[in-house]
Amino acid sequence: MTATHTTTSRRPPLHPPLPFTKMHGLGNDFMVLDATRQPIALRPEDIRAMADRHFGVGFDQLLVVEPGPSADVDFGYRIFNADGSEVEQCGNGARCFARFVHDQRLTDKRRIRVQTCAGTIVLHVTDTGNVQVDMGMPRCSPQEIPFTAPAPALLYPVAVGDKTVELAVVNMGNPHAVLRVADVDSAPVATLGPLLESHPRFPARVNVGFMQVLAPDRIRLRVYERGTGETLACGTGACAAVVAGQRLGWLGRQVTVLLPGGPLQIDWQGEGHNVHMQGPATRVYEGLWHWPEMPPAM
Ligand SMILES: N[C@@H](CCC[C@H](N)C(=O)O)C(=O)O
């Protein structure tokens, strides 16, 4: 999919409506487009218009299903945040992706290999309709996040305004910072989230997770997502929190992550292993996107 650039601010009047499916994974919601049957060209401003919760469809991320770019994968998967930025990975989106390609009869395979900007992931549709995702190997060195630090560590002090917070960093295809808090209900997600998201030590910006450890196999988590704001659930955020918590000795190998939208099961057998996630994927409705008339340039 390539962005189009035009010299006029008005779309051609007969631009056909675009079919889409609205889906969610534990309340992290998506507009899903099928670009396997027709090419779809969107500009960041189109995505922002679609994402608008009052004037558009409203979503946290836009997911685009594309033909597999090579013979060893079944599909391509592109992801855009509500602010129009393209991102490398989306865990809840991956589960909805699997459900979508089944519902649309694009494949009948139970094991689906998908190419993302961050590499290949493998999705497995279970008998119960849940989806298991092999999210690949986490990466934790500062340059892989990317994060500016003098040397690798498990926790980094980071100055934010007049405070210093301690955080772990994990790349799950996309960048995550994880902070441990005593109580997620009172955690400063709305204030610290955006400050860390755009902190100069994270040159590609970052998703910020606030984790409350209830037991070695149970955490609560809220995530302020890069390019979107706080969401009801973040799949890669859940994986990153479990990886960070396990490396720090706080968590075991199988953890239930309680997000505001519901629970995810995360399994990480430790260094050198891939992270596995399991959870639901829900179709909400099918719709047609009618291109808005753009206002004339002022
Ligand atoms: N909601 C997602 C993550 C989406 C991308 C993220 N906002 C980013 O910018 O990296 C998930 O479920 O993983």
Side-chain angles (χ1 to χ4, degrees):
M1 190 171 66
T2 49
T4 55
H5 299 279
T6 62
T7 50
T8 167
S9 60
R10 281 182 181 274
R11 290 195 156 271
L14 292 177
H15 205 79
L18 189 59
F20 68 89
T21 300
K22 183 77 194 294
M23 303 188 78
H24 75 85
L26 299 176
N28 177 192
D29 64 342
F30 309 109
M31 180 177 180
V32 190
L33 300 178
D34 179 0
T36 64
R37 295 175 169 135
Q38 54 172 344
I40 298 172
L42 296 174
R43 303 164 301 177
E45 57 266 40
D46 294 325
I47 296 168
R48 286 193 289 273
M50 291 166 163
D52 191 293
R53 293 200 181 275
H54 300 287
F55 295 97
V57 174
F59 54 79
D60 297 323
Q61 276 87 34
L62 173 75
L63 312 180
V64 183
V65 180
E66 295 189 336
S70 57
D72 59 335
V73 291
D74 300 299
F75 296 99
Y77 169 32
R78 292 183 72 183
I79 308 146
F80 299 86
N81 280 326
D83 71 356
S85 58
E86 182 162 13
V87 293
E88 310 87 338
Q89 194 55 278
C90 177
N92 290 323
R95 299 197 313 280
C96 289
F97 185 103
R99 173 87 198 263
F100 178 87
V101 294
H102 267 239
D103 289 351
Q104 300 289 322
R105 300 189 195 289
L106 297 175
T107 185
D108 56 8
K109 289 185 182 176
R110 284 290 187 92
R111 189 174 175 280
I112 307 163
R113 284 175 65 81
V114 177
Q115 179 75 47
T116 70
C117 287
T120 304
I121 54 170
V122 183
L123 319 176
H124 181 253
V125 182
T126 68
D127 290 336
T128 61
N130 265 10
V131 183
Q132 286 171 351
V133 186
D134 177 343
M135 297 290 293
M137 199 132 13
R139 289 171 297 148
C140 299
S141 67
Q143 65 273 21
E144 290 174 309
I145 303 304
F147 174 62
T148 307
L154 291 176
L155 281 175
Y156 300 89
V158 173
V160 198
D162 57 357
K163 277 196 186 149
T164 297
V165 296
E166 283 209 310
L167 52 81
V169 294
V170 180
N171 186 305
M172 283 306 314
N174 56 350
H176 289 268
V178 183
L179 289 82
R180 184 171 178 172
V181 295
D183 177 8
V184 284
D185 291 329
S186 57
V189 180
T191 48
L192 206 49
L195 290 174
L196 285 170
E197 181 207 13
S198 307
H199 195 283
R201 289 181 67 184
F202 291 100
R205 299 193 289 162
V206 74
N207 299 287
V208 189
F210 296 81
M211 162 171 72
Q212 175 184 351
V213 178
L214 300 174
D217 63 352
R218 208 167 171 78
I219 63 172
R220 297 177 73 203
L221 182 73
R222 287 171 67 189
V223 181
Y224 188 93
E225 286 197 26
R226 175 178 68 164
T228 300
E230 186 178 3
T231 56
L232 291 179
C234 178
T236 49
C239 297
V242 171
V243 168
Q246 206 185 112
R247 293 181 86 227
L248 282 154
W250 302 333
L251 300 177
R253 296 187 161 178
Q254 289 181 327
V255 180
T256 299
V257 179
L258 304 169
L259 297 136
L264 275 179
Q265 305 303 326
I266 306 295
D267 181 312
W268 186 48
Q269 294 299 306
E271 301 295 342
H273 292 272
N274 290 0
V275 183
H276 295 267
M277 170 187 65
Q278 181 165 338
T282 307
R283 181 172 58 165
V284 186
Y285 63 88
E286 315 284 338
L288 277 181
W289 169 255
H290 292 269
W291 298 96
E293 272 293 297
M294 301 298 269
M298 297 290 284

